[in-house]
């Protein structure tokens, strides 16, 4: 019987997702649980360290992003956390930055 997919199996086209890697290694040893006797320090400013940002989006865009995230979350049976899904959605958009620049340049002209 095949094991259901897990967030620990999530990868992007370039290899292991840095956020998934950070989650996989939290608590040390890749066990996914915190060690009982001592805490492992998280490197300050690490590129794979999760962070929070405050962004303002048009309500319609925020709703669309939320719906896309929820749809993927439920399609994947909840085994991949929403923050990982959001990271992939945003990363895919970043891969099309030139196309966005072109559209915004036309708007600004």
């Amino acid at each position: 019987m095949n094991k259901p997919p897990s967030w620990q199996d999530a990868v992007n086209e370039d290899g292991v997702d840095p956020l998934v890697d950070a989650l996989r290694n939290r608590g040390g040893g890749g066990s996914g649980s915190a060690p009982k006797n001592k805490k492992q320090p998280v490197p300050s400013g690490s590129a794979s360290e999760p962070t929070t940002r405050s962004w303002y989006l048009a309500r319609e865009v925020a709703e669309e992003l939320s719906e896309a995230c929820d749809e993927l979350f439920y399609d994947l049976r909840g085994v991949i956390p929403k923050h990982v899904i959001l990271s992939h959605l945003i990363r895919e958009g970043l891969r099309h930055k030139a196309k966005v620049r072109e559209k915004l340049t036309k708007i600004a002209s």
Side-chain angles (χ1 to χ4, degrees), residues 2 6 15 17 28 31 38 40 45 48 61-62 64 70 74 101 105:
N2 290 340
S6 165
D17 186 302
S31 67
K38 60 178 167 174
Q40 295 289 328
S48 63
V61 174
E64 190 176 344
D70 287 345
Y74 291 112
R101 180 181 288 116
T105 301

Side-chain angles (χ1 to χ4, degrees), residues 60-82:
E60 293 172 3
V61 174
E63 290 299 319
E64 190 176 344
L65 181 60
S66 181
E67 288 173 11
C69 181
D70 287 345
E71 180 182 328
L72 288 168
F73 181 76
Y74 291 112
D75 286 351
L76 299 168
R77 307 203 189 291
V79 296
I80 297 178
K82 287 185 178 183

